């Protein structure tokens, strides 16, 4: 354990990255006894660890082509400001976390000005899904990648990208998820609720909820009264209530993380928007079917997508554990029939549970993600082979 002062430049562009950065810094304090100074951009998590953010990073949370185009001048200004501040601070190492459209542009500018500064990238860009060429281009400004999905190191090696280490995913150690797994252990299917998880963006909710409504109507028509729970976040509650106001089958709308995990524990099965929530459900042992509808712009871009599936559990297992419905093949009747199969003692349910166990095992690590990531960061700083003393 070293006791020398350590100055870390850190750039996180959204809440999830801020939490990862804070976890890494907390892990770093366990193995580095000297003072740690943080400079850069982050949110509440990193600020609690001592960072004075250059600006409110919520400015970077833009979704959709229109929003991005409207905010381009501000984004480029913040990129220049962040890079200049880091260059002036002359840190010992730069840690960029997720949000590659912002963080990687900062890293490129910093590398040009400080060519000997080590750069670590936390959260591997989704080069396995599209724009594979990005992996090799990262060699110019990233020394090591900290991956949160177990298949990513092999992908980066195949694509001749920077050295990459799987450090673990925060969900595997999440207290609420672990408690949900405990509550569901040995649970028998039947008489539970069906979860409706249309996503947290208004565009997702608007596109998917009509199909979830059709599925709920089908399920009640075929099976009699059933319970449906629709977890959402506070800033979308009013919108969700408005969209579902005319439904014949009324879902129970619950708000917040605690209510969401309670619903996970009570559910027989879920229909959900493709995304991180599919992985949450898999790790919590909640059977799920993935659905997604994209706009016309994204449909034009799908020809560039290289991955065979959009469901993270499937990528981790390397086979189709979770059924997927995309765009024109999303049907309420299809979702309803899957809910029936996954809410009973069927071969489909048993197969999914077997896949979930494989995914759980593949995502395990010997040490918590933050501590593992901190150790590699110090190894990169010391110019040693990552993961070795």
């Amino acid at each position: 354990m070293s006791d020398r002062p350590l100055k870390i430049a850190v750039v996180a562009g959204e809440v999830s990255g801020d939490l990862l950065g804070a976890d890494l810094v907390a892990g770093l304090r366990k193995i580095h006894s000297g003072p740690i100074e943080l400079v850069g951009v982050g949110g509440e998590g990193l600020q609690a660890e001592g960072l004075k953010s250059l600006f409110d990073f919520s400015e970077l949370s833009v979704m959709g082509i229109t929003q991005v185009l409207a905010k381009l001048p501000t984004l480029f200004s913040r990129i220049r400001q962040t890079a200049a501040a880091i260059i002036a601070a002359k840190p010992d190492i730069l840690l960029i976390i997720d949000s590659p459209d912002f963080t990687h542009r900062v890293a490129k500018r910093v590398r040009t000005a400080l060519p000997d500064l080590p750069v670590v990238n936390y959260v591997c860009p989704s080069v396995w899904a599209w724009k594979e060429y990005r992996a090799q281009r990262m060699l110019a400004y990233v020394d090591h990648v900290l991956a949160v999905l177990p298949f990513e190191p092999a992908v980066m090696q195949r694509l001749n990208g920077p050295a990459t280490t799987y450090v673990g995913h925060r969900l595997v150690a999440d207290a609420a998820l672990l408690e949900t797994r405990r509550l569901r252990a040995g649970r028998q299917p039947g008489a539970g609720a069906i979860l409706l998880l249309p996503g947290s963006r208004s565009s997702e909710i608007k596109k998917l909820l009509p199909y979830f409504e059709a599925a709920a109507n089908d399920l009640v028509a075929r099976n009699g009264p059933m319970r449906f729970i629709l977890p959402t976040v506070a800033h979308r509650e009013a919108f969700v209530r408005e969209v579902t106001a005319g439904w014949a089958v009324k879902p129970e709308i619950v708000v917040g993380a605690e209510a969401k995990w309670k619903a996970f524990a009570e559910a027989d099965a879920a229909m959900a928007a493709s995304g991180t929530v599919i992985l949450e459900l898999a790790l919590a042992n909640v059977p799920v079917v993935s659905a997604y509808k994209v706009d016309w712009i994204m449909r034009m871009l799908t020809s560039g997508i290289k991955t065979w599936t959009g469901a993270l559990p499937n990528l981790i297992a390397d086979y189709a554990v979770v059924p997927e419905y995309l765009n024109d093949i999303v049907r309420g009747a299809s979702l309803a029939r899957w809910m029936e199969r996954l809410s009973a003692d069927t071969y489909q349910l048993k197969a999914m549970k077997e896949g979930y166990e494989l995914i759980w095992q593949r995502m395990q690590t010997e040490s918590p993600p933050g501590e593992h990531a901190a150790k590699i960061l110090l190894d990169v700083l010391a110019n040693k082979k990552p993961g070795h003393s």
Side-chain angles (χ1 to χ4, degrees), residues 129 138 246 328:
M138 286 169 63
D328 295 338

Side-chain angles (χ1 to χ4, degrees), residues 2 48 123 153 180 203 209 218 240 264 282 295 313 330 378 382 384-385:
S2 172
V123 183
T180 303
S203 58
L209 273 186
D218 262 16
V240 168
F264 277 29
D295 58 28
V330 178
L378 288 180
K384 294 187 295 186
K385 186 178 181 182

Side-chain angles (χ1 to χ4, degrees), residues 55 60 72-85 101-107 109-110:
F55 55 88
L60 305 176
L72 273 180
T74 300
L75 289 172
F76 283 123
S77 173
R78 291 306 193 190
I79 288 167
R80 290 191 297 269
Q81 176 192 359
T82 305
D101 288 338
F102 182 79
T103 62
H104 285 231
R105 285 180 168 87
V106 171
R109 285 175 171 266
V110 173

Side-chain angles (χ1 to χ4, degrees), residues 67-95:
Q67 287 188 46
V68 170
L69 290 174
K71 288 200 172 186
L72 273 180
T74 300
L75 289 172
F76 283 123
S77 173
R78 291 306 193 190
I79 288 167
R80 290 191 297 269
Q81 176 192 359
T82 305
I86 291 170
I87 292 164
K90 293 184 169 56
D92 296 299
I93 193 165
L94 169 60
L95 173 66

Side-chain angles (χ1 to χ4, degrees), residues 293-365:
K293 300 276 287 185
V294 298
D295 58 28
W296 65 272
I297 295 177
M298 286 304 297
R299 289 192 189 207
M300 290 174 62
L301 298 174
T302 53
S303 61
I305 294 176
K306 302 296 184 182
T307 185
W308 61 273
T309 176
L312 291 176
N314 295 349
L315 288 166
I316 294 165
D318 198 29
Y319 73 93
V321 176
V322 173
E324 298 176 277
Y325 289 88
L326 180 67
N327 293 332
D328 295 338
I329 64 170
V330 178
R331 296 284 187 277
S334 297
L335 297 173
R337 283 158 176 79
W338 267 112
M339 293 302 96
E340 290 174 345
R341 300 306 295 170
L342 297 175
S343 298
D345 188 14
T346 62
Y347 287 114
Q348 289 89 344
L349 178 62
K350 291 174 182 174
M352 189 172 288
K353 285 184 174 180
E354 182 180 299
Y356 282 1
E357 182 58 29
L358 173 64
I359 292 160
W360 180 259
Q361 294 302 324
R362 287 190 173 175
M363 294 192 70
Q364 299 304 304
T365 54

